[in-house]
Amino acid sequence: MSTVTPRHTVRHPPTLEAVAEAAGVSRATVSRVVNGSPRVRGEVVEAVQKAIAELGYVPNRAARSLASSRTHSIALLVPEEVSRFFGDPYFASFTTGLDRRLAASEYVLNLVVARDDPDRKAVRYVRGGNVDGAIVVSHHSGHEFLAQLEGVVPIVFGGRPEAGISAEPYFVDVDNVAGGRLATEHLLGLGRRRIATIAGPVDMTASMDRLAGFRAAMDDAGLPSTAIDYGNFTAPGAAAAMRRLLEEQPDLDGLFVASDLMATGALRVLAARGIRVPDDIAIVGYDDSPAATWGEIGLTTVSQPSELMGATTVDVLLRLLGGDPDVPHANIVPTELIIRESA
Amino acid sequence: MSTVTPRHTVRHPPTLEAVAEAAGVSRATVSRVVNGSPRVRGEVVEAVQKAIAELGYVPNRAARSLASSRTHSIALLVPEEVSRFFGDPYFASFTTGLDRRLAASEYVLNLVVARDDPDRKAVRYVRGGNVDGAIVVSHHSGHEFLAQLEGVVPIVFGGRPEAGISAEPYFVDVDNVAGGRLATEHLLGLGRRRIATIAGPVDMTASMDRLAGFRAAMDDAGLPSTAIDYGNFTAPGAAAAMRRLLEEQPDLDGLFVASDLMATGALRVLAARGIRVPDDIAIVGYDDSPAATWGEIGLTTVSQPSELMGATTVDVLLRLLGGDPDVPHANIVPTELIIRESA
DNA sequence: CCCTCCCGTGAGAGCGCTCTCCCGCGCGGT
DNA sequence: ACCGCGCGGGAGAGCGCTCTCACGGGAGGG
């Protein structure tokens, strides 16, 4: 039990006013220096910067927001299932990319969980003018409330949103169809012919596109693309799908799994049954996530540059916030096949 | 190319003033209602609330902060390695708990990455009065910059911080020593005698405490606690540790792994070598994370109520922010053994 | 040599709230 | 009847910044 007061007394931090006085100029001039206006003489800039450094001045965000009606913060809108979101390595590195790029700007990230509560707290938050823009990730269809955000602030989607969510959405995405095709063609190139796929949820464009790529490649090869099951982008889900696939078609020799995390689930099932990879079944994953190298054998996988995607998403949003008139709506980042041992 | 202007024009949202006029009262009264002051007559409260609902009024956060010098936002300070942080299921559910509790309050989470950049952006951010309080997670020692935050705002640690970081830190933690002991005693109770452990990093109290619990239990049983290796809380790290342990002592019959994620790494090595679990080696993990049920067999594990911890961390911080004079510094949440198939 | 223009700077009006006063009214005590 | 008190509500002064506008002075043109 200490004798200090529990209340943290905030010794008043220096204001613009104080800096102005110290530098012998007006508030307006200090403000100009802080905001990098070119219309200030060099020596004055230096004097002000010296005063700022000496006083340890940090602009008051609230005051700045109030006066300029720009908050300098952007919302990271994540879906209800926070733990699913954060548990996924893809999003982990997406967020890393986001953050890195954001760190170079003066914007701050507000973590907003878009839950389906009756009063739409997240929507009210964004509509309430609390952020200048928003980044939406892992967007399943059914989140119609996003429509309520249209036109309120610029929104950039990490991954292409479902049609109908937004008239002309800004988004960053990889070419998932090409990725699915790439993976499947690699398996075909290896001579595999009885190829199955474990897809992600049907309500996510990313997983449906990868599936489309799989189908296209199989079609082109004149093979049936009937061995399809769904794993919900989780390892247990994929394990269950793997068991079902093996039941239907025990002689599979190739498998395309729409995420590395799911691939770990599938691999576990295979290992348990003594099915050898890649000897018996060659496997290609998707994401090039850390999970791809967790196992005893490296997973051949389609590289989604998730960190780059995060960074790009921020770039797009910042350009939008900067008033750039010709930001492309679709921002596609490249996909690549990383060949390891599993296929 | 649409004809709309790229600039998102913000139609001015209603202000307190507007609500006051609509309800036929003064700004002050509306403010009282919004902030739940008891000194307003019931009928007036209703009239104001009606006006608020009709106008769709949302308080302007910036103005509020400026006037009250409270920001109503709290920083979630995460360590540099964002992807490690987010990739860990424990933190995922910790964050879920955080968020759920926070959603009930009017506070907002600011994601601040505490990187070791030269100008300490994170420190400046917090010191700049941008948040009312901070939550620090995954705190390794070596983050001495936290010292610069002492006394600036209330800080609550998720997990006990290293000694020396803060004179008298507020923290929420599980009793990791008890947890390590619990796990080890379970193995002993199963009749296992040649028990090893894969510990976490040596610079984290949580992992050192679990190790201490392991040692204590072994000592009490009169057994040597020499089979110790370290896995850095990652699956590949644990896999490497497992291989080393087996090399040194191939006849192990029990294993305590300090995290479920690491346990998955160890299990993979065991599976690859045909060592059966639990028949040959019984394994107890730690965290009761989703990873515990990913495998073919369920992992017996020590349950860390991570979501509860997140929620509790917020509780502690909110009490601190509320000026509660007697918030305990150490907040210990209970630990529990979840028995599945692996031991 | 005067007028115009621009450039660097200062003055000052808000931005939308909170919060301290202060006022008026109705009640109870003397 | 008077005074005091408490309670509900209003008035108004900021909070720390941005931004428009005005202003003084030097350069350039006629």
Side-chain angles (χ1 to χ4, degrees), chain B residues 64-87:
Chain B
R64 189 182 262 203
S65 297
L66 183 55
S68 65
S69 68
R70 267 173 291 121
T71 64
H72 289 290
S73 55
I74 79 169
L76 175 60
L77 242 40
V78 309
E80 169 101 58
E81 317 80 13
V82 192
S83 57
R84 170 115 76 90
F85 171 75
F86 286 124

Side-chain angles (χ1 to χ4, degrees), chain B residues 194-207:
Chain B
R194 294 177 302 282
I195 307 177
T197 187
I198 298 179
V202 291
D203 61 353
M204 291 181 71
T205 354
S207 72

Side-chain angles (χ1 to χ4, degrees), chain B residues 86-209:
Chain B
F86 286 124
D88 189 328
Y90 165 73
F91 290 116
S93 81
F94 181 89
T95 308
T96 303
L98 272 189
D99 172 76
R100 282 218 216 293
R101 186 63 109 259
L102 220 45
S105 78
E106 51 177 339
Y107 283 86
V108 173
L109 249 204
N110 280 193
L111 194 60
V112 181
V113 175
R115 50 169 53 78
D116 267 336
D117 54 5
D119 59 340
R120 295 253 180 272
K121 212 181 166 225
V123 171
R124 290 207 1 250
Y125 182 70
V126 174
R127 294 196 71 105
N130 293 305
V131 293
D132 295 340
I135 289 175
V136 178
V137 284
S138 178
H139 177 258
H140 297 228
S141 61
H143 285 183
E144 9 58 41
F145 70 85
L146 280 169
Q148 301 177 39
L149 259 30
E150 271 241 64
V152 177
V153 293
I155 297 181
V156 180
F157 292 84
R160 181 196 286 105
E162 287 285 306
I165 290 299
S166 170
E168 236 187 323
Y170 289 92
F171 66 90
V172 174
D173 204 359
V174 289
D175 190 339
N176 280 302
V177 180
R181 176 185 279 278
L182 192 61
T184 312
E185 285 174 347
H186 178 68
L187 290 169
L188 290 166
L190 256 32
R192 310 297 168 131
R193 287 295 172 272
R194 294 177 302 282
I195 307 177
T197 187
I198 298 179
V202 291
D203 61 353
M204 291 181 71
T205 354
S207 72
M208 287 304 95
D209 284 352

Side-chain angles (χ1 to χ4, degrees), chain A residues 80 112-125 144-145 148, chain B residues 99-100 102-105:
Chain A
E80 168 101 60
V112 181
V113 175
R115 49 169 55 76
D116 265 336
D117 54 5
D119 60 341
R120 296 256 179 268
K121 212 182 165 220
V123 172
R124 288 206 4 247
Y125 182 69
E144 8 58 41
F145 70 85
Q148 299 177 40
Chain B
D99 172 76
R100 282 218 216 293
L102 220 45
S105 78

Side-chain angles (χ1 to χ4, degrees), chain A residues 7 61-62 66 83 86 96 99 103 105 108-111 113 115 121 125 130 243 268 294 296 321, chain B residues 7 61 66 83 86 96 99 103 105 108-111 113 115 121 125 130 243 268 294-296 321:
Chain A
R7 267 288 192 202
R61 217 177 186 80
L66 184 55
S83 57
F86 286 123
T96 303
D99 171 76
S105 77
V108 178
L109 249 204
N110 281 193
L111 194 60
V113 175
R115 49 169 55 76
K121 212 182 165 220
Y125 182 69
N130 293 304
R243 289 188 205 100
R268 214 155 300 144
W294 282 354
E296 288 292 290
L321 292 175
Chain B
R7 267 288 193 204
R61 218 178 183 78
L66 183 55
S83 57
F86 286 124
T96 303
D99 172 76
S105 78
V108 173
L109 249 204
N110 280 193
L111 194 60
V113 175
R115 50 169 53 78
K121 212 181 166 225
Y125 182 70
N130 293 305
R243 289 187 204 102
R268 214 155 301 146
W294 282 356
E296 288 291 290
L321 292 175

